[in-house]
Amino acid sequence: MKHYLTTPIYYASGAPHLGHAYTTILADTYKRFWALCGDEVRLVSGTDEHGQKIERTAAAAGVPVTDFVADRSKEFARLWHELGLDIDRFERTTSKLHRGVALAIWRRLVSAGDIYRGNYEGLYCVECEQYFTEGDTCPVHRRALEFSAEPAWFFRLSRYQQALLDYIERHPDFISPRVRANEVLSFLRENALRDLAVSRASTSWGIPVPGDSSSVLYVWIDALASYLSALLEEDTTDLDAPSVQAWWQNTRHFIGKDILTFHAIYWPALLWSAGLPLPRQIVVNGWLTVEGKKISKSDPATIVDPRTLLPLVGRDGLRLYFLRAVTLGQDVDFSRQRLIELVNSDLANNLGNLHARFATLAIRHFGGRLHCTGPLETSDSELLAVVQAAANEVSDAFQTNAPATGARAFVLACSAVNTWFQQQAPWQQENQARRPVVLWVTSQALADLSVPGLVFVPELAGELRRRLGLPEAALWVDIGKRRETLLVHDGPPLYPRVRG
Ligand code: MSP
């Protein structure tokens, strides 16, 4: 099976922050899960580089806009690399390929009779790059909306209102979590959709509208098209290309709740108009906040640079924090203290400590060679069953978009092994006879835990596998497979305690 996973393409107007990192890490976690299931997965990210906001920000910085976006884009790509995220393709909206793909979509909208010329008059938030029909302040950025009046090309969004309602009602999993689907449904039931202005005349920083040199594509049309560009190669902008056919239908868009309307209303309508299938699912995360305020580059006091956290808790620590502390879809107030407490309790004291005690005994008493020497006691088999059940729970959690439930199951299984190990006390002289079996059972439990570990804490789990002499590559179906003999290698603590 093929899975196509996308992150939003981030505005190249500022430096990446913890909020951007969260969505991208989340998507990467899913990638690792499906890959361990033996499926083919493609994860793409990128930068959204056109539009008035970016043009203004570059001008304010006194830098040519093309240089400005190139630098910002590199920063995002570099951060994904520093966070160890396994991105298959990083798409920039200023690329030649993308321009061709966005225009190919535009031409299809025109052919469908969905584009017409009109005049736009209304209020606009440059930060959101969005028109508002109510109020005079942007609800996201809490800034005064700007009045804008200009000739524009319109997309007949209103034509798709009923189709959208029907589709979302009939596909309850199209938008996850359900509360967000309900939000979109109520909006569609209570409001008549207005046609969407899909060009801008007040900026020239964008993709020119074919046949109209005074307008560029509205930045959101441009941006959404990037999800298709990332499936195509330089020499084709054919929207029916085999690569699109192969991947598109099983697409999952990972987004924040701030951009739900664009993905759940505009994008499906645009795709229908362009004669393309809809993605399979839109997975919507809540906001990371700092003292209750959304982390946002328009509010510098809220900015947390993920790079400052890496020397403290490492890539795995940050990832596990996001997966454990954040229930997908809900807002969470970021706290450095909570981050440190969580990694210390889940990684240093739990899995790390268990492994250290186990490895010391295995090396001291058996030179690291663990062999299954005798029959298992009931408590041994029960322990291995608990680990297996936890792995099943992790798998269910990903199928139902509840990664926090999966991460909790993983950590609880580590605790269960720890508690059992403590009860067995294989370090005591009086338990000498049971020692080889206890250590062997522990090695099997650790080997099993290393597989979901590759999803939640990939570096630590990779190292755990090396220390157990297991191959680097793993599959979900390996869980529960028993290895007669394992060779335990020595090394420093897997996750030392963090002092913050
Ligand atoms: N460029 C558009 C997206 C186009 S996608 C076709 C955009 N970019 S953005 O830079 O503003 O990033 C938006 C995404 O970053 C959010 O939807 C969300 O996924 C992530 N986040 C940005 N701030 C966030 C938080 N404070 N908390 C959680 N996620 C956040 O909108």
Side-chain angles (χ1 to χ4, degrees):
M1 180 149 186
K2 285 184 161 64
H3 300 263
Y4 180 47
L5 312 179
T6 70
T7 77
I9 51 164
Y10 301 100
Y11 282 129
S13 52
H17 58 60
L18 204 61
H20 305 126
Y22 169 55
T23 307
T24 316
I25 290 174
L26 187 66
D28 177 82
T29 307
Y30 275 72
K31 170 169 182 176
R32 289 174 196 264
F33 170 71
W34 293 118
L36 285 165
C37 293
D39 291 352
E40 275 182 272
V41 197
R42 194 173 159 122
L43 169 62
V44 305
S45 187
T47 38
D48 191 351
E49 305 187 9
H50 289 130
Q52 204 168 5
K53 171 167 62 175
I54 289 173
E55 188 180 35
R56 282 188 191 176
T57 318
V63 179
V65 67
T66 45
D67 296 350
F68 184 84
V69 293
D71 286 350
R72 292 280 107 77
S73 178
K74 267 191 216 127
E75 255 190 279
F76 276 93
R78 198 180 310 129
L79 178 61
W80 300 161
H81 180 71
E82 281 169 24
L83 290 171
L85 307 181
D86 196 4
I87 309 284
D88 296 293
R89 180 141 146 192
F90 189 91
E91 194 61 29
R92 298 183 57 191
T93 55
T94 46
S95 76
K96 185 166 157 268
L97 168 72
H98 171 71
R99 171 189 293 246
V101 172
L103 292 179
I105 294 180
W106 177 271
R107 283 193 205 93
R108 288 208 179 182
L109 307 180
V110 173
S111 310
D114 279 338
I115 297 289
Y116 66 93
R117 188 78 172 150
N119 284 301
Y120 186 80
E121 245 191 49
L123 293 166
Y124 195 74
C125 171
V126 178
E127 283 296 325
C128 293
E129 294 278 11
Q130 185 181 5
Y131 299 104
F132 284 87
T133 48
E134 279 170 21
D136 51 12
T137 311
C138 167
V140 177
H141 297 98
R142 305 198 179 129
R143 290 184 168 205
L145 297 171
E146 294 180 27
F147 181 74
S148 146
E150 57 183 47
W153 295 96
F154 281 81
F155 170 67
R156 289 188 204 281
L157 181 64
S158 53
R159 196 184 250 189
Y160 295 93
Q161 176 136 12
Q162 193 55 45
L164 282 162
L165 257 173
D166 292 346
Y167 188 86
I168 300 170
E169 272 168 2
R170 282 192 205 131
H171 297 84
D173 290 336
F174 180 54
I175 303 166
S176 174
R178 189 65 62 85
V179 55
R180 297 289 164 217
N182 291 340
E183 211 173 274
V184 175
L185 283 172
S186 337
F187 179 83
L188 286 168
R189 286 188 192 118
E190 287 157 24
N191 298 277
L193 285 181
R194 293 169 18 139
D195 288 348
L196 183 68
V198 285
S199 69
R200 301 287 285 146
S202 51
T203 178
S204 57
W205 179 234
I207 301 176
V209 171
D212 173 12
S213 55
S214 66
S215 306
V216 294
L217 297 195
Y218 173 40
V219 65
W220 267 99
I221 305 292
D222 176 344
L224 290 161
S226 76
Y227 294 141
L228 287 158
S229 312
L231 285 175
L232 290 161
E233 297 305 329
E234 210 51 73
D235 53 353
T236 175
T237 56
D238 176 7
L239 301 173
D240 298 318
S243 56
V244 177
Q245 310 254 0
W247 292 93
W248 183 251
Q249 300 219 19
N250 202 20
T251 296
R252 269 192 186 79
H253 293 312
F254 289 84
I255 62 163
K257 65 179 182 181
D258 45 343
I259 56 175
L260 179 59
T261 309
F262 300 98
H263 286 79
I265 296 182
Y266 302 170
W267 187 221
L270 291 162
L271 286 167
W272 276 325
S273 176
L276 292 163
L278 300 198
R280 163 141 172 204
Q281 194 170 54
I282 301 166
V283 182
V284 190
N285 66 253
W287 286 341
L288 292 184
T289 59
V290 164
E291 289 172 12
K293 288 197 205 146
K294 180 191 180 215
I295 298 180
S296 162
K297 52 187 167 279
S298 60
D299 190 351
T302 61
I303 296 291
V304 180
D305 181 345
R307 282 165 289 207
T308 61
L309 300 172
L310 290 180
L312 189 70
V313 298
R315 296 163 166 182
D316 284 344
L318 190 59
R319 173 189 282 259
L320 189 69
Y321 167 81
F322 282 144
L323 293 160
R324 283 270 282 139
V326 187
T327 299
L328 182 51
Q330 291 181 7
D331 293 355
V332 161
D333 210 49
F334 172 74
S335 140
R336 194 181 150 100
Q337 198 47 39
R338 170 95 181 89
L339 166 68
I340 295 173
E341 279 165 19
L342 190 140
V343 296
N344 277 338
S345 84
D346 288 357
L347 295 180
N349 299 348
N350 191 354
L351 182 55
N353 192 297
L354 165 71
H355 174 263
R357 291 192 299 162
F358 152 79
T360 306
L361 292 177
I363 290 165
R364 182 184 305 152
H365 295 288
F366 305 104
R369 178 169 292 278
L370 297 179
H371 188 69
C372 184
T373 53
L376 301 191
E377 288 186 359
T378 313
S379 82
D380 305 341
S381 313
E382 278 172 1
L383 179 79
L384 294 172
V386 164
V387 173
Q388 175 75 59
N392 295 346
E393 221 180 309
V394 172
S395 171
D396 290 348
F398 277 97
Q399 321 274 350
T400 55
N401 290 327
T405 308
R408 184 164 177 274
F410 167 69
V411 170
L412 288 181
C414 296
S415 304
V417 182
N418 232 328
T419 308
W420 171 88
F421 191 79
Q422 188 66 25
Q423 284 161 354
Q424 301 299 320
W427 54 89
Q428 286 178 0
Q429 198 55 33
E430 70 217 53
N431 296 330
Q432 201 180 352
R434 271 272 289 161
R435 190 179 289 145
V437 175
V438 169
L439 291 182
W440 182 82
V441 170
T442 312
S443 73
Q444 304 303 300
L446 286 171
D448 285 354
L449 285 169
S450 75
V451 182
L454 289 168
V455 175
F456 299 117
V457 280
E459 288 189 335
L460 190 159
E463 184 57 22
L464 173 61
R465 290 182 68 80
R466 274 187 288 283
R467 301 274 187 92
L468 291 170
L470 295 169
E472 199 178 324
L475 282 174
W476 210 262
V477 291
D478 293 343
I479 300 171
K481 278 191 191 150
R482 299 293 155 236
R483 292 158 185 88
E484 284 284 295
T485 308
L486 276 180
L487 189 58
V488 178
H489 302 273
D490 206 359
L494 282 184
Y495 194 92
R497 208 179 147 70
V498 175
R499 291 176 209 290

